[in-house]
Amino acid sequence: MIRYITAGESHGPGLTGIVEGVPAGLLLTEEDIAVHLVRRQQGYGRGGRMAFEKDYATINSGLRFSKTMGGPISMYMPNRAFEKDDAGWPTVMNKKTEAEGIEKITLPRPGHADLVGAQKYKFKDIRPVIERSSARETAMRVACCGVARQFLKHFGIEIGGHVLRIGSIGYNGWDEVREITDPLTEKGAEAIYKAADESDVRCLNEDLSGEMREEIKKRRKEGSSLGGIYEIVITGLPVGLGSYVHWDRKLDGQLAQVIMGTQAMKGVEIGMGFESGYLPGHEVHDEITHEENSFKRRTNRMGGIEGGMSTGMPIIIRGVMKPIPTMLNPLSTVDMETKEETETRYERSDVCALPRAVVVAESVVAPVIANAFLEKFGGDSIQEIEANFKNAIQ
C-alpha cells in the first residue's frame, strides 16, 4: 500500500518527502510532479512568498530510467525563502546554536495552531508551531501525492477540482454546479481542473470569478481574509473500491479524513452532502438503471459512493476552508509571556488561499483512491496490476 511522510519547516532549508509502496514499473518523472506544484502556487489572493519561490521537487531515490523500482521514493524541495528572504531565516531557524537577539513570538493567533501547539509541546516561543503547522508543508504533500496521482492516471483514473464559493459569492445549489461540470466530467476529471485553471480563482463560471475577485479585493482593503468551498471530482473508477464490512475501510470515511487532515479545512461532504439533509428522499437518491450490460445511475447525487464503496460513477467531494487566521487588521489575543491582552502580530500571508488549496485537495485524495485500487487489484509491479485489473473487469 502506498503511504508517504513529509518533513521540514516553513522557513527551514527545505522540505523532504518519502513515498513507499509504489509498484515497480510506473513511468514517473520530476516533470510529472512539477505540473501540480506550479498549479499550487497560482491563484488570485496569494501572498508575497509566491512571487519569488518556485517549487520543484528533486527525486533522489526509487527511480531508474524514469520508472519506479518498487522501493521508497525520496524527494527534496529547497525553501528559497531560507536564503532569499530578508528576515534572516538561516539564523532564526539555525539547527545548532541559538543566536542572541532573535525575537520570541508570544502572541498566538486566534484560529491557528499557535496557542494549543505551544501548550502541548511546552514551547515558550510559538515559532516551532508556526513553522511546522504552516501550509508550506503542503508543497511536499502535493509532490508525494503526485506519485499516487500518476499511478491512477496510468489506469485511466483522473482527478480535478474547482472553486464553488469564496466568502459570500458562489453557486446556488447542486443542480447549478452539475450543469457546468457534467459536460467536462464526461471528458475526464482533468478537463475540470484545466478549465478551472483558466480562472485565477479557479471558478468555472466567468461571472462568479469576477465577483470573487472583487470580494477578495474588498476583504484585502479591510485587512481581513476569506475562505470558501471547493469541489473535487474523480473519474474512471471501477465499481467496488472500499468496503461496507468495517467502518475504517469505507471509502468515503477515508476520503473525509485526508480532506480534514489538510491545513485550514473545517468541513467535508460527499455528493449532495448537507444539502441532502433537508430534501425528501425522491430528490436525493440515484435511481438504478441497466444499460449496455452494466448497472448505472440516472443521477449522481450520492457522489459516486454508496455504503462506503465506489459505484462506478464519478466521486464528488466537497471541502470547506476557513478564512486564514493571519490578517493585516489584527484580532485580540493574549501575550503568552505577560498574560496581557493585546493585538496579534502579522505574519505575511494570503488573503484567500482557496484557489491554491484546491490543488492540495486534489492531491491528498489520490493515495486513498490508489490504495483502494491496490487493495482490489494489487501486485508488486504495474504489469501484474494491469493483468489483475484486466481479468477483474472481463
Side-chain angles (χ1 to χ4, degrees):
M1 307 302 281
I2 296 173
R3 68 170 186 159
Y4 67 94
I5 187 170
T6 70
E9 290 75 46
S10 180
H11 294 94
L15 301 171
T16 300
I18 297 177
V19 186
E20 67 170 0
V22 182
L26 174 67
L27 186 63
L28 179 70
T29 67
E30 291 173 349
E31 286 66 36
D32 295 326
I33 302 298
V35 168
H36 300 295
L37 289 175
V38 171
R39 294 181 59 232
R40 177 191 165 275
Q41 293 192 292
Q42 298 171 341
Y44 193 79
R46 62 186 181 174
R49 184 171 187 166
M50 297 300 103
F52 63 82
E53 189 154 50
K54 307 302 179 185
D55 291 332
Y56 190 87
T58 302
I59 298 176
N60 295 324
S61 69
L63 284 188
R64 184 170 187 258
F65 308 143
S66 295
K67 287 189 176 181
T68 56
M69 298 188 292
I73 298 169
S74 65
M75 291 181 276
Y76 183 73
M77 184 187 305
N79 284 334
R80 304 301 179 190
F82 187 70
E83 297 176 353
K84 296 187 177 182
D85 206 315
D86 59 3
W89 293 114
T91 302
V92 175
M93 296 302 295
N94 192 325
K95 65 182 178 181
K96 293 182 179 180
T97 306
E98 182 177 354
E100 295 182 1
I102 295 178
E103 179 189 11
K104 183 188 294 186
I105 302 175
T106 58
L107 302 178
R109 291 162 291 177
H112 202 278
D114 296 349
L115 179 58
V116 180
Q119 290 174 314
K120 176 178 175 63
Y121 291 103
K122 308 303 180 186
F123 296 134
K124 302 298 183 183
D125 178 351
I126 63 174
R127 172 59 67 188
V129 185
I130 295 173
E131 288 294 320
R132 182 57 188 168
S133 66
S134 167
R136 174 68 191 151
E137 179 269 345
T138 64
M140 182 50 73
R141 210 183 309 188
V142 168
C144 290
C145 294
V147 179
R149 198 163 180 167
Q150 194 69 7
F151 169 81
L152 292 174
K153 190 172 180 179
H154 181 87
F155 291 96
I157 300 172
E158 298 181 5
I159 304 171
H162 63 111
V163 168
L164 299 177
R165 175 170 297 276
I166 290 179
S168 63
I169 308 300
Y171 295 93
N172 295 311
W174 175 263
D175 291 337
E176 185 178 341
V177 178
R178 300 280 69 78
E179 286 177 10
I180 196 169
T181 57
D182 282 355
L184 293 169
T185 302
E186 291 177 3
K187 302 175 185 178
E190 288 196 357
I192 293 176
Y193 91 64
K194 289 175 181 177
D197 283 1
E198 295 296 315
S199 163
D200 55 6
V201 290
R202 288 203 162 95
C203 178
L204 294 169
N205 183 297
E206 186 175 348
D207 292 335
L208 285 178
S209 291
E211 293 179 39
M212 288 174 182
R213 282 190 292 272
E214 291 303 313
E215 181 76 355
I216 293 172
K217 288 178 184 178
K218 176 182 177 182
R219 302 307 174 186
R220 178 184 281 121
K221 289 179 181 179
E222 295 174 355
S224 193
S225 61
L226 285 167
I229 303 171
Y230 58 85
E231 181 176 87
I232 306 300
V233 180
I234 309 171
T235 57
L237 294 128
V239 173
L241 301 188
S243 179
Y244 66 89
V245 300
H246 290 297
W247 65 269
D248 58 344
R249 292 178 62 191
K250 288 178 177 286
L251 189 61
D252 42 4
Q254 294 174 349
L255 289 167
Q257 198 281 324
V258 295
I259 293 294
M260 293 304 296
T262 304
Q263 288 89 326
M265 301 306 156
K266 299 300 289 185
V268 61
E269 60 183 2
I270 309 295
M272 289 186 81
F274 293 106
E275 189 174 340
S276 66
Y278 54 84
L279 293 172
H282 285 81
E283 296 178 29
V284 172
H285 297 291
D286 305 309
E287 292 184 326
I288 299 171
T289 66
H290 192 266
E291 307 167 32
E292 301 173 353
N293 296 319
S294 64
F295 292 101
K296 297 183 179 181
R297 309 295 191 282
R298 285 203 172 95
T299 54
N300 191 25
R301 298 162 181 157
M302 290 292 99
I305 299 178
E306 293 177 352
M309 300 166 291
S310 62
T311 65
M313 297 288 283
I315 287 179
I316 301 172
I317 313 157
R318 292 176 168 187
V320 180
M321 184 180 191
K322 68 183 179 184
I324 294 169
T326 302
M327 295 176 285
L328 194 58
N329 185 10
L331 293 170
S332 294
T333 187
V334 172
D335 191 308
M336 291 170 51
E337 195 166 62
T338 68
K339 308 301 186 292
E340 295 179 357
E341 187 170 326
T342 184
E343 293 181 342
T344 54
R345 72 194 297 275
Y346 181 69
E347 291 277 337
R348 184 177 55 208
S349 177
D350 300 343
V351 174
C352 178
L354 185 65
R356 297 171 54 214
V358 172
V359 182
V360 179
E362 289 176 3
S363 300
V364 298
V365 301
V368 174
I369 301 298
N371 283 333
F373 190 92
L374 284 167
E375 183 180 38
K376 193 168 179 66
F377 309 109
D380 297 313
S381 67
I382 291 296
Q383 295 92 327
E384 184 179 359
I385 299 167
E386 285 174 339
N388 293 340
F389 185 47
K390 183 178 179 181
N391 290 335
I393 62 177
Q394 284 180 341

